[in-house]
């Protein structure tokens, strides 16, 4: 397929692809040698609650490896996803942008995530974190859940990853869950190697794949994106973990994730890569029962703190201080500019990137302030809340969207001081009309820039589209 045909397939003007693929990335004149650039490992849990691991307050789940990671690094305690659900948050992680910026805030039918056999996906014209690093000689691997489009032009292998091993969307989107769904596929690169995948084995196989990639690229630099399937429902765990936790299948899955992280840390130590490797552990969005988002309120799929504030740990011995807490606001969008800078690469300069370089935050967590003047909470395409400093305003809305296909409700507006009240329990809207007025102006700024509801923003960019979407697996699955 030539460039023009490719652009047409995606529903883009040819001009949108007229620049070379990496035309927007300015190569840094001071690019370090491969030996000087750190490796990056990004471990993303799926729907893990803010309070579900020991170092973030859990007394239920045993997470010694994650607790050790936190003891050796920084706990980010005001760290946000850009969405309460999977697809939009992962789009932000990959591109450093708000989901609305890149039209990944909802699917083609207006639902909150992409479903199998979707015509829509992350526009290959966007520059992913993997493409930024790949340009700077990194080996790149995506292991696990992708969820940014299941059609070939949208797969990880077309978005900057040398290798892919995983399920292209959520683990609850197989034929067991919906008769219209193809059997849940496990891909190696672009080929289906198993369908339906045996989910009991997933965490263990993802871990083995991750450890193999690390060993294969021990001379570095490498970028490993390990997007775990768990603890998203349906909950599964390997035999060694099944029935062993104090919290049923959910606890089993969380404890196996902890084991998996321990295996990766052990591989780094064995290969002498601890100091050359920056490790991140976080979650794509808040948890839903039986997950624990304490002390935050709300659950996955909203704009409460428990919906979008997630646990985050960042470790790099020798560069990032051990055992610190960073309370400054940072987000999922910040990894692209931060990793780019650490790698001596450059974030794209031909388009708006919403994320910030948070190197000083993680290297000097006691002394640094958030680079965010304001952070916006979207529910799908609707702007619902604004945070600046310690204040968060839930915007007054006549028709606030919430829940899975539920009718909208009226939101009168609420104002919270998150430093004093992270649970959002004491509404101060009447006491601070000045703050409310300032925040309403900030909301208008976002509406103009990113859009709101059906109103487009001035600086949005299109998603990718294919004319015809085909299932990755054709064989009938169980239940058909
Ligand atoms: Mg999720």
């Amino acid at each position: 397929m030539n460039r023009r045909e490719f652009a047409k397939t995606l529903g883009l003007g040819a001009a949108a692809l007229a620049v070379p693929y990496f035309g927007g990335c300015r190569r840094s004149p001071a690019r370090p040698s491969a030996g000087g650039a750190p490796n990056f490992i990004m471990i993303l849990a799926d729907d893990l609650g803010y309070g579900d691991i020991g170092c973030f307050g859990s007394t239920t789940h045993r997470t010694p490896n994650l607790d050790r990671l936190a003891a050796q690094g920084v706990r980010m305690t005001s760290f946000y996803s850009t969405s309460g659900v999977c697809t939009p948050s992962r789009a932000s992680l990959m591109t450093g942008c708000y989901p609305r910026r890149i039209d990944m805030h909802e699917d083609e039918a207006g639902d909150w995530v992409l479903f199998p056999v979707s015509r829509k996906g992350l526009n290959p014209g966007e520059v992913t974190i993997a493409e930024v690093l790949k340009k700077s000689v990194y080996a790149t691997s995506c292991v696990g859940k992708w969820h940014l489009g299941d059609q070939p032009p949208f797969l990880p292998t077309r978005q900057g990853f040398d290798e892919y091993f995983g399920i292209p969307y959520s683990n609850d989107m197989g034929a067991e869950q919906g008769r219209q769904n193809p059997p849940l596929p496990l891909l190696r690169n672009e080929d289906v190697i198993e369908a339906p995948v045996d989910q009991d084995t997933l965490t263990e196989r993802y871990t083995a794949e991750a450890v193999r990639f690390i060993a294969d690229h021990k001379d570095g630099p490498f970028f490993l994106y390990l997007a775990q399937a768990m603890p998203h429902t349906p909950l599964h765990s390997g035999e060694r973990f099944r029935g062993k936790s104090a919290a049923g299948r959910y606890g089993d899955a969380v404890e196996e994730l902890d084991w998996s992280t321990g295996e990766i840390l052990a591989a780094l130590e064995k290969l002498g890569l601890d100091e050359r490797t920056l490790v991140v552990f976080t979650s794509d969005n808040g948890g839903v029962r039986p997950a624990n988002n304490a002390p935050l309120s709300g659950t996955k799929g909203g704009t409460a703190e428990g919906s979008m504030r997630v646990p985050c740990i960042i470790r790099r011995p020798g560069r990032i201080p051990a055992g610190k807490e960073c309370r400054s606001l940072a987000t999922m969008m910040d990894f692209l500019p931060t990793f780019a800078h650490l790698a001596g690469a450059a974030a794209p300069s031909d388009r708006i990137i919403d994320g910030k370089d948070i190197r000083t935050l993680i290297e000097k967590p006691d002394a640094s302030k958030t680079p965010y003047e304001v952070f916006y909470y979207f529910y799908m395409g609707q702007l619902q809340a604004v945070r600046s400093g310690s204040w968060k305003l839930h915007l007054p809305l006549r028709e606030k969207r919430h829940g899975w296909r539920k009718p909208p409700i009226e939101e009168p507006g609420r104002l919270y001081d998150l430093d004093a009240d992270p649970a959002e329990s004491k509404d101060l809207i009447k006491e601070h009309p000045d703050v409310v007025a300032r925040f309403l102006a900030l909301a208008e700024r976002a509406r103009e820039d990113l859009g709101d509801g059906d109103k487009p923003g001035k600086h949005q960019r299109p998603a990718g589209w294919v004319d015809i979407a085909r299932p990755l697996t054709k064989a009938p699955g169980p239940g058909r």
Side-chain angles (χ1 to χ4, degrees):
M1 192 185 291
N2 68 28
R3 183 175 296 279
R4 191 171 298 276
E5 287 166 346
F6 185 55
K8 196 164 157 250
T9 308
L10 294 170
L12 302 170
L17 293 171
V19 289
Y21 199 34
F22 297 107
C25 287
R26 237 185 274 132
R27 191 177 287 204
S28 164
R31 201 174 79 168
S33 66
N39 307 310
F40 299 104
I41 298 179
M42 163 78 60
I43 305 171
L44 187 70
D46 196 348
D47 294 8
L48 183 75
Y50 186 84
D52 267 337
I53 54 179
C55 49
F56 274 76
S58 177
T59 53
T60 308
H61 307 136
R62 295 167 297 184
T63 56
N65 293 297
L66 289 163
D67 300 347
R68 177 161 56 95
L69 188 71
Q72 296 170 348
V74 172
R75 282 186 313 129
M76 311 289 289
T77 53
S78 290
F79 185 85
Y80 288 88
S81 174
T82 54
S83 169
V85 291
C86 301
T87 295
S89 63
R90 288 155 201 264
S92 285
L93 180 62
M94 278 298 120
T95 62
C97 293
Y98 279 107
R100 262 201 88 112
R101 175 83 61 210
I102 50 172
D103 191 25
M104 289 297 283
H105 52 287
E106 53 193 37
D107 80 344
E108 57 192 297
D111 279 325
W112 58 9
V113 293
L114 295 180
F115 284 82
V117 205
S118 175
R119 292 176 54 243
K120 186 175 184 180
L122 177 66
N123 193 327
E126 289 297 335
V127 179
T128 68
I129 191 168
E131 284 164 341
V132 167
L133 294 173
K134 189 153 184 54
K135 183 72 179 165
S136 188
V137 309
Y138 276 68
T140 55
S141 173
C142 175
V143 178
K145 172 172 165 179
W146 178 239
H147 216 177
L148 297 173
D150 67 347
Q151 297 302 295
F154 308 135
L155 290 174
T157 38
R158 312 280 181 102
Q159 308 257 26
F161 289 97
D162 300 330
E163 305 177 9
Y164 177 53
F165 179 76
I167 305 176
Y169 34 74
S170 290
N171 65 325
D172 65 347
M173 293 181 174
E176 298 90 335
Q177 285 83 21
R179 292 177 64 82
Q180 75 285 3
N181 293 340
L184 194 67
L186 178 68
L187 271 65
R188 165 134 347 247
N189 299 322
E190 298 183 7
D191 298 325
V192 176
I193 58 168
E194 192 176 313
V197 64
D198 177 0
Q199 293 208 44
D200 286 349
T201 64
L202 264 186
T203 302
E204 187 170 347
R205 282 198 280 175
Y206 283 173
T207 306
E209 183 73 11
V211 168
R212 188 224 17 105
F213 175 79
I214 293 167
D216 283 356
H217 298 277
K218 63 182 189 317
D219 295 331
F222 64 78
F223 170 47
L224 169 65
Y225 172 42
L226 171 55
Q228 299 275 15
M230 293 294 122
H232 191 286
T233 56
L235 294 160
H236 286 267
S237 52
E239 221 174 297
R240 279 182 297 163
F241 295 89
R242 206 170 309 141
K244 301 286 165 52
S245 77
R249 294 166 74 95
Y250 188 84
D252 297 347
V254 170
E255 293 188 0
E256 190 170 16
L257 278 190
D258 180 76
W259 163 83
S260 171
T261 307
E263 291 296 295
I264 287 161
L265 298 180
L268 291 177
E269 190 177 2
K270 188 174 137 204
L271 295 167
L273 296 178
D274 281 353
E275 287 169 12
R276 278 167 53 197
T277 307
L278 186 146
V279 179
V280 176
F281 178 91
T282 188
S283 179
D284 66 336
N285 49 254
V288 67
R289 231 164 40 146
N292 178 12
N293 296 317
L296 311 176
S297 57
T299 60
K300 171 186 180 177
T303 46
E305 289 299 286
S307 313
M308 290 173 59
R309 205 196 288 199
V310 288
C312 178
I313 307 165
I314 307 181
R315 185 195 84 163
R316 187 182 174 195
R319 294 291 178 96
I320 296 175
K324 294 283 186 185
E325 176 185 356
C326 174
R327 296 180 187 181
S328 302
L329 190 156
T331 82
M332 199 79 104
M333 302 183 284
D334 304 335
F335 293 120
L336 182 144
T338 305
F339 287 9
H341 210 114
L342 288 167
S349 56
D350 63 344
R351 64 195 75 198
I352 297 173
I353 301 293
D354 296 297
K356 321 280 186 195
D357 179 354
I358 56 164
R359 266 176 317 145
T360 56
L361 273 195
I362 57 180
E363 289 173 2
K364 298 186 180 88
D366 293 332
S368 305
K369 289 200 168 62
T370 179
Y372 282 85
E373 180 201 356
V374 57
F375 174 70
Y376 296 110
Y377 302 68
F378 282 89
Y379 176 85
M380 301 172 70
Q382 185 177 46
L383 178 62
Q384 293 194 341
V386 177
R387 177 173 176 175
S388 183
S390 69
W391 294 110
K392 176 179 179 182
L393 177 68
H394 286 269
L395 296 162
L397 296 170
R398 204 165 296 152
E399 294 202 327
K400 178 175 180 169
R401 299 179 74 180
H402 74 115
W404 178 248
R405 297 176 181 171
K406 287 182 184 164
I409 51 169
E410 183 163 359
E411 164 66 68
R414 289 167 289 139
L415 181 71
Y416 299 110
D417 177 354
L418 292 179
D419 283 351
D421 179 24
E424 301 175 273
S425 61
K426 191 165 181 244
D427 180 11
L428 301 171
I429 197 164
K430 291 205 168 66
E431 285 87 335
H432 297 280
D434 52 327
V435 175
V436 174
R438 185 163 67 86
F439 275 46
L440 292 176
L442 288 171
E444 278 315 307
R445 211 163 82 185
R447 287 180 177 125
E448 193 142 306
D449 178 22
L450 290 159
D452 188 12
D454 294 335
K455 183 177 170 276
K458 279 187 185 157
H459 303 114
Q460 286 185 277
R461 304 194 290 268
W465 293 86
V466 292
D467 289 337
I468 300 168
R470 295 188 174 84
L472 290 168
T473 46
K474 293 199 180 73
R480 285 197 169 204

